């Protein structure tokens, strides 16, 4: 069973539990150091002689320091490999001391490890051998050491079952250590001292502290998860466990004090303790019930709010689908990878397809096969870069007609900026595209007409220029014979004109008149040619005469 990722609130809770576990580890180490100093200065109180004459032995103090140090190193925020290694080594050393001492008890041996540092006089209370810790402490230290060796390190947890095993060892150790602790509290010597077997009160309390530290160091175990959860079970456990653990020992201690002070006898003390337990637990259960009722009301209110939110979400989704089905565009949505997961109804009406036919990459069947590879490549590039998508291409309608569409899509991102889906539309632009084609065609026609008009204007200007040149030439040609005729006419009108001059003048006038007549005849021929009225008089001619001429 894998470990699920935790929320920020859970991470805060885990951090607080780790801090509490390290505080407990520090207290255990400080207690072990204090006991060790008690042996150095030979102070019985520092040695742990708080009740019954029992002291915490030297090896027990050393084991407390080793196991406390191991717990401190292994429950850090992010323990390094070196810290984890040192913590494991400390746990192994602690288990080794406990197991060797337990072997001494079971086999009747003396390995020389009990008084290696300090000697103790023989005959100490509940001590099988001078300065040798008892079997209960050995067993508890062994269980604690094994739990520390199996403790999952933060960031390297594998399974919740392993955390459950570690927390189970911690609970078992705590229960074992609770027995001698209650014996010390109630004055029941049989619970903490039986002949040569015993355990000092500081040792038992520190073992309980180590058990609690191990529980806090396994926040993912089922036991700790139940207690720290926000549901009704966790709330009830937090309400009932503290009084269930603390009140019976406290009432037992008060009963013992009362009996020793002769305030009441044993029978009355038992009755008083039972009545007190009943009253206290009824009050505790009543308070827990009230809290559960309040919790249940809050849960029902939250459920109603969630139902209202779900109804609003369904209504919003229905409105979205209605809006998407009524817009004129073909709408669609895709996953982060670009495979389409939803189409509006207008898409299916246009393509004549079902959702099953089009889901995923089924839209490719309505594209032009020649254009499809380029379109697919551009779409994949947009998905890869996360850029808005826009392209134009033809789509096959249900009747087989290919109509052009403008396709646009925008990426939808979550709070972390990651693309979770795409929303796109295809808009039919066939008519506007035809209008654009018509406009371009007309623009091309108008351009050709303008060019032809410009050419005609240039031709007209050229013709006009030729005409002007022709008229200028014609005027010159007409003026030349006319000038000669007018000149000779004026000469001939003068008195005393000689016969020879008269003859010459008349010849010149006749010759120029003929030239003038020929020019006029040529002009008339040109006019007939332009108007299409020229008549050709076809006659046989002698080509030799013409060539000779």
């Amino acid at each position: 069973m894998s470990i699920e990722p935790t929320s920020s609130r859970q991470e805060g809770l885990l951090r607080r539990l780790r801090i509490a576990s390290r505080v407990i580890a520090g207290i255990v180490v400080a207690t072990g150091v204090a006991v060790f100093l008690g042996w150095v200065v030979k102070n019985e109180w520092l040695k742990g002689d708080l009740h019954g004459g029992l002291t915490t032995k030297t090896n027990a103090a050393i084991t407390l320091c080793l196991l406390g140090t191991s717990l401190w190193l292994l429950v850090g925020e992010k323990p390094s490999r070196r810290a984890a290694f040192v913590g494991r080594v400390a746990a192994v050393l602690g288990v080794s001391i406990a197991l060797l001492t337990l072997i001494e008890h079971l086999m009747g041996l003396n390995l020389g490890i009990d008084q290696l540092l300090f000697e103790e006089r023989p005959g100490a209370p509940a001590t099988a051998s001078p300065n040798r810790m008892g079997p209960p402490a050995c067993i508890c230290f062994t269980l604690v050491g094994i739990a520390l060796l199996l403790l999952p390190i933060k960031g390297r947890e594998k399974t919740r079952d392993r955390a459950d095993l570690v927390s189970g060892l911690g609970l078992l150790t705590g229960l074992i250590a609770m027995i001698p602790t209650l014996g010390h509290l109630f004055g029941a010597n049989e619970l903490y001292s039986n002949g040569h077997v015993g355990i000092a009160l500081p040792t038992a309390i520190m073992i309980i502290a180590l058990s609690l530290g191990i529980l806090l160091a396994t926040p993912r175990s089922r036991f700790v998860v139940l207690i720290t959860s926000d549901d009704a079970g966790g709330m009830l456990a937090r309400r009932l466990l503290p009084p269930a653990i603390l009140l019976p020992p406290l009432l037992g201690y008060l009963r013992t004090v009362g009996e020793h002070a002769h305030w009441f006898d044993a029978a009355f003390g038992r009755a008083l303790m039972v009545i007190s337990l009943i009253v206290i637990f009824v009050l505790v259960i009543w308070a827990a019930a009230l809290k559960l009722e309040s919790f249940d009301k809050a849960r029902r209110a939250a459920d109603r709010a969630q139902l209202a939110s779900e109804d609003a979400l369904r209504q919003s989704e229905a409105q979205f689908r209605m809006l998407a089905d009524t817009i004129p565009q073909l709408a669609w949505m895709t996953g982060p990878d670009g495979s389409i997961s939803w189409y509006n109804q207008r898409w299916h009406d246009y393509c004549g397809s079902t959702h099953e036919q089009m889901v995923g990459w089924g839209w490719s069947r309505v594209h032009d096969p020649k254009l499809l590879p380029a379109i697919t490549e551009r779409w994949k590039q947009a998905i890869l870069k996360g850029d808005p998508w826009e392209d134009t291409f033809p789509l096959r309608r249900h009747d087989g007609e290919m109509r052009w569409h403008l396709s646009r899509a925008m990426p939808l991102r979550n709070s972390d900026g990651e693309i979770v889906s795409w929303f796109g539309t295809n808009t039919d632009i066939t008519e506007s595209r035809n209008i654009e084609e018509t406009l371009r065609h007309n623009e091309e026609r108008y351009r050709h007409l303008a060019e032809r008009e410009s050419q005609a204007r240039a031709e007209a200007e050229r013709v006009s220029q030729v005409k002007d040149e022709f008229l200028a030439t014609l005027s010159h040609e007409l003026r030349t014979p006319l000038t000669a005729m007018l000149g000779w006419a004026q000469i001939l009108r003068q008195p005393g004109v000689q016969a020879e001059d008269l003859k010459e003048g008349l010849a010149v006038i006749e010759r120029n008149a003929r030239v003038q007549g020929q020019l006029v005849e040529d002009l008339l021929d040109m006019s007939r040619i332009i108007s299409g009225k020229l008549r050709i008089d076809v006659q046989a001619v002698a080509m030799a005469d013409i060539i000779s001429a």
Side-chain angles (χ1 to χ4, degrees):
M1 183 175 181
S2 59
I3 303 299
E4 298 83 2
T6 58
S7 64
S8 58
R9 187 197 66 80
Q10 291 172 323
E11 285 293 340
L13 175 62
L14 297 180
R15 190 179 301 109
R16 290 192 294 271
L17 293 178
R18 285 194 297 270
I19 292 174
S21 182
R22 300 193 85 184
V23 170
I24 291 174
I27 294 174
V28 171
V29 173
T31 302
V33 172
V35 171
F36 192 85
L37 290 176
W39 281 95
V40 173
V41 299
K42 298 181 180 180
N43 185 300
E44 296 299 320
W45 187 84
L46 284 178
K47 289 181 184 179
D49 185 6
L50 304 179
H51 184 269
L54 289 175
T55 59
T56 301
K57 309 305 180 184
T58 305
N59 286 342
I62 295 174
T63 305
L64 286 175
C65 292
L66 289 172
L67 297 181
T69 302
S70 175
L71 180 62
W72 174 277
L73 293 174
L74 294 178
V75 298
E77 178 68 23
K78 289 183 179 180
S80 63
R81 294 189 178 274
R82 178 177 299 178
F85 175 75
V86 174
R88 304 291 193 198
V89 170
V92 169
L93 292 177
V95 171
S96 299
I97 294 174
L99 285 177
L100 289 175
T101 305
L102 186 60
I103 290 173
E104 287 182 327
H105 282 288
L106 295 177
M107 305 297 294
L109 303 176
N110 187 357
L111 301 177
I113 62 173
D114 301 323
Q115 302 192 85
L116 187 63
L117 298 176
F118 302 100
E119 294 184 357
E120 185 182 40
R121 60 178 176 81
T127 304
S129 180
N131 209 7
R132 179 182 296 176
M133 59 180 169
C138 295
I139 294 172
C140 290
F141 284 143
T142 302
L143 294 176
V144 170
I146 294 174
L148 289 173
L149 291 174
L150 296 176
L151 183 69
I153 300 176
K154 177 175 173 56
R156 305 173 199 169
E157 299 94 334
K158 298 300 182 182
T159 63
R160 180 173 291 178
D161 293 335
R162 182 172 173 179
D164 290 340
L165 176 60
V166 174
S167 64
L169 290 174
L171 284 173
L172 178 60
T173 305
L175 291 175
I176 295 174
M178 183 68 71
I179 296 174
T181 302
L182 294 177
H184 282 285
L185 185 63
F186 298 152
N189 297 342
E190 294 81 2
L191 296 179
Y192 66 88
S193 176
N194 186 6
H196 298 300
V197 176
I199 183 170
L201 180 59
T203 305
I205 293 176
M206 288 302 102
I207 290 174
I208 294 174
L210 283 172
S211 302
L212 180 59
I214 290 174
L215 286 176
L216 297 179
T218 54
R220 300 181 188 274
S221 64
R222 290 176 175 85
F223 178 77
V224 181
V225 168
L226 173 63
I227 295 177
T228 58
S229 65
D230 292 332
D231 55 16
M235 189 274 295
L236 186 62
R238 289 191 296 272
R239 288 275 176 171
L240 295 181
L241 278 179
I245 295 173
L246 299 177
L247 285 178
L250 177 61
L251 291 176
Y253 176 75
L254 294 176
R255 173 195 167 190
T256 302
V257 171
E259 291 178 359
H260 288 172
H262 302 290
W263 294 342
F264 43 77
D265 57 14
F268 183 82
R270 286 193 297 270
L272 183 61
M273 181 177 177
V274 171
I275 293 173
S276 301
L277 285 174
I278 292 174
V279 172
I280 291 175
F281 275 100
V282 166
L283 293 176
V284 171
I285 293 172
W286 179 262
L290 292 177
K291 188 65 177 179
L292 276 178
E293 183 181 6
S294 175
F295 179 84
D296 190 57
K297 288 181 179 178
R299 182 186 59 79
R300 288 197 297 269
D303 290 342
R304 288 194 296 269
Q306 184 177 0
L307 289 175
S309 176
E310 291 176 355
D311 290 340
L313 182 62
R314 284 193 293 268
Q315 184 177 1
S316 176
E317 183 179 357
Q319 292 175 352
F320 167 76
R321 290 185 178 277
M322 182 180 299
L323 176 64
D325 288 337
T326 54
I327 61 175
Q329 285 83 10
L330 314 181
W332 41 272
M333 292 186 69
T334 79
D337 60 346
S339 60
I340 299 183
S341 57
W342 171 85
Y343 298 91
N344 66 345
Q345 187 58 41
R346 196 169 292 274
W347 173 281
H348 296 300
D349 293 341
Y350 177 85
C351 299
S353 62
T354 63
H355 177 74
E356 290 71 18
Q357 293 173 332
M358 289 292 173
V359 72
W361 296 80
W363 50 268
S364 58
R365 68 179 62 189
V366 297
H367 278 263
D368 188 341
K370 297 179 181 178
L371 304 178
L372 182 60
I375 296 171
T376 304
E377 181 62 26
R378 289 193 294 269
W379 173 231
K380 289 181 178 179
Q381 289 297 321
I383 296 171
L384 182 63
K385 297 179 180 179
D387 296 334
W389 151 267
E390 181 172 330
D391 201 356
T392 55
F393 43 74
L395 290 177
R396 184 180 297 103
R397 200 165 60 180
H398 58 84
D399 57 1
E401 180 183 355
M402 299 294 289
R403 297 184 64 84
W404 282 85
H405 286 76
L406 170 63
S407 181
R408 289 175 175 170
M410 293 293 294
L412 305 179
R413 304 177 184 271
N414 57 17
S415 57
D416 296 330
E418 300 175 348
I419 297 177
V420 295
S421 62
W422 291 75
F423 180 80
T425 58
N426 289 0
T427 305
D428 193 330
I429 59 172
T430 304
E431 282 73 14
S432 60
R433 186 181 177 88
N434 293 338
I435 292 174
E436 291 177 359
E437 290 291 336
T438 303
L439 290 175
R440 283 196 294 268
H441 179 69
N442 290 338
E443 182 180 356
E444 189 70 18
R445 280 185 55 197
Y446 294 150
R447 188 173 62 81
H448 287 310
L449 290 175
E451 290 178 357
R452 291 176 60 184
E453 182 180 359
S454 177
Q455 293 174 358
R457 186 181 296 109
E459 182 66 19
E461 291 176 355
R462 189 183 66 79
V463 171
S464 177
Q465 182 179 0
V466 171
K467 179 180 178 181
D468 292 340
E469 294 175 355
F470 171 75
L471 291 176
T473 303
L474 180 63
S475 299
H476 177 73
E477 293 297 328
L478 289 174
R479 189 183 297 114
T480 299
L482 186 60
T483 300
M485 288 188 295
L486 290 175
W488 277 102
Q490 290 176 357
I491 292 174
L492 294 178
R493 290 180 63 185
Q494 293 179 0
V497 176
Q498 298 294 327
E500 294 178 358
D501 293 335
L502 177 61
K503 183 178 179 180
E504 183 181 357
L506 290 175
V508 170
I509 291 173
E510 181 181 1
R511 186 173 60 255
N512 283 281
R514 292 182 183 279
V515 171
Q516 186 88 13
Q518 186 61 43
L519 289 173
V520 171
E521 187 65 25
D522 291 340
L523 286 175
L524 291 175
D525 288 341
M526 289 184 62
S527 176
R528 291 189 188 97
I529 291 172
I530 294 173
S531 60
K533 296 180 180 180
L534 178 65
R535 293 182 181 179
I536 300 177
D537 186 10
V538 180
Q539 295 179 1
V541 294
M543 294 299 298
D545 296 340
I546 295 175
I547 292 173
S548 298

